[in-house]
Amino acid sequence: MHAEALQSRFETIRSNKLFETFVITVIVFSALLVGAKTYDIPQPFSTIALLLDWFISFFFLTEITIRFMAEPRKRDFFKSFWNWFDTVIVVVSMIPADNTDLAVIGRLVRVFRVLRMISFIPELRILLVSLVKALPQLGYVMLLMFIIFYIYAAIGSTLFESINPTLWGDISISLLTLFRVMTFEDWTDVMYETMAVYPLSWVFYLSFIFFTAFAFLNMVIGIVVNVMEQENAKARAAEAEQNHEPTLADIMQEIQQLKARLPADKAVSEPKR
């Protein structure tokens, strides 16, 4: 009974909005502290920063322990990817960040502690999950984009190498030049240089920009937005199920049942002549 009461108390703390807000505040403060340590700060402030860093590490360890103890079945805690993610970051961040061989790893992991905000903010989780689930579809778009890049790079190396070997010397350099054109980084300078020799070379650049910057990038955005809409719909359905609210599918099913019953009810209600 005492264990159940203790677990209930831990669960109350975990679900407390004030506690979640405080954890997010500590995560943001941790990120700011990592940024502050990149500056040359006086020794007293450096010591204070080190103490604050250890306080943050122990606070995160305490917070993970509270979440673990609040789980009714402890094995279910590790069924969540986000729990694994938070635990690994917190445990590795306990590595001393000064005067050790693993100091570089410790500092790098402290930088990634800001990613823990993803596990606390549902909207950020949906964004990340949507991006990961969109990767298989994005892979085919990226492959097609690379084919277009490769064809234009080969054409550019063949036609423009004699004009500027620095930009069109071989196919790998041409690929970098085309990436510069796609991102509109002074691409007109590159175009005008080749137009001095080939007046119609503007067709090469405009068609490339149309395929890459306009067509393919919009396809990437469309795929990601579509997956995000699906994930948002799943999240709303899960929240409605958790709150015992009727979902859109339940409402549509009820409407269909009412429509199916309507002719029978009408036949019964009509008097015989």
Side-chain angles (χ1 to χ4, degrees):
M1 183 65 67
H2 179 70
E4 293 180 356
L6 188 62
Q7 177 187 333
S8 177
R9 183 171 299 178
F10 281 128
E11 190 172 355
T12 302
I13 296 175
R14 182 187 63 177
S15 58
N16 191 294
K17 294 298 182 181
L18 184 61
F19 177 73
E20 293 181 0
T21 304
F22 183 70
V23 173
I24 294 175
T25 303
V26 174
I27 292 173
V28 174
F29 181 77
S30 172
L32 295 176
L33 182 63
V34 171
K37 292 174 70 174
T38 60
Y39 294 93
D40 293 329
I41 55 178
Q43 182 60 35
F45 291 100
S46 179
T47 304
I48 294 174
L50 181 61
L51 294 176
L52 289 174
D53 187 78
W54 277 108
F55 167 77
I56 292 171
S57 298
F58 281 111
F59 172 79
F60 284 154
L61 184 62
T62 303
E63 180 259 333
I64 287 291
T65 304
I66 291 174
R67 288 167 53 188
F68 176 76
M69 296 300 296
E71 196 70 37
R73 296 180 59 188
K74 300 300 183 283
R75 68 181 66 179
D76 292 340
F77 179 82
F78 295 103
K79 292 182 179 179
S80 172
F81 166 79
W82 299 110
N83 289 337
W84 276 103
F85 179 78
D86 290 343
T87 303
V88 169
I89 288 183
V90 170
V91 171
V92 178
S93 65
M94 299 298 293
I95 298 175
D98 297 304
N99 301 324
T100 64
D101 296 335
L102 298 177
V104 176
I105 298 177
R107 293 192 187 101
L108 289 177
V109 173
R110 282 165 170 76
V111 173
F112 285 102
R113 285 192 302 203
V114 70
L115 290 176
R116 295 198 58 218
M117 292 184 65
I118 299 176
S119 62
F120 281 90
I121 302 178
E123 289 76 10
L124 293 181
R125 288 202 302 268
I126 292 176
L127 287 175
L128 184 60
V129 171
S130 300
L131 182 60
V132 172
K133 289 189 175 182
L135 287 179
Q137 301 179 53
L138 293 177
Y140 294 106
V141 177
M142 293 296 109
L143 178 60
L144 184 57
M145 183 181 292
F146 175 77
I147 293 174
I148 298 298
F149 259 84
Y150 193 86
I151 292 174
Y152 274 83
I155 296 174
S157 296
T158 303
L159 296 179
F160 309 140
E161 180 182 6
S162 59
I163 299 175
N164 191 339
T166 304
L167 297 179
W168 306 99
D170 54 53
I171 198 165
S172 59
I173 296 176
S174 298
L175 287 171
L176 293 176
T177 303
L178 289 175
F179 184 80
R180 169 183 172 182
V181 173
M182 185 192 71
T183 55
F184 303 110
E185 178 63 29
D186 293 333
W187 71 279
T188 53
D189 296 338
V190 180
M191 181 182 67
Y192 291 143
E193 184 180 39
T194 59
M195 284 182 63
V197 180
Y198 299 102
L200 293 179
S201 62
W202 59 269
V203 177
F204 173 86
Y205 296 99
L206 293 185
S207 60
F208 174 77
I209 289 175
F210 173 79
F211 282 122
T212 57
F214 296 155
F216 289 122
L217 289 184
N218 283 325
M219 289 173 62
V220 170
I221 295 173
I223 291 173
V224 174
V225 169
N226 184 42
V227 176
M228 284 181 58
E229 289 179 352
Q230 295 176 4
E231 292 301 315
N232 281 318
K234 290 180 182 178
R236 288 192 296 266
E239 184 179 358
E241 183 178 358
Q242 184 178 2
N243 297 332
H244 304 289
E245 297 177 356
T247 62
L248 181 60
D250 296 334
I251 295 174
M252 295 300 296
Q253 184 179 4
E254 186 175 352
I255 292 175
Q256 292 296 330
Q257 292 176 356
L258 290 174
K259 287 182 178 179
R261 290 171 49 190
L262 186 59
D265 294 342
K266 185 177 180 181
V268 171
S269 61
E270 286 182 354
K272 295 182 179 180
R273 296 181 179 177

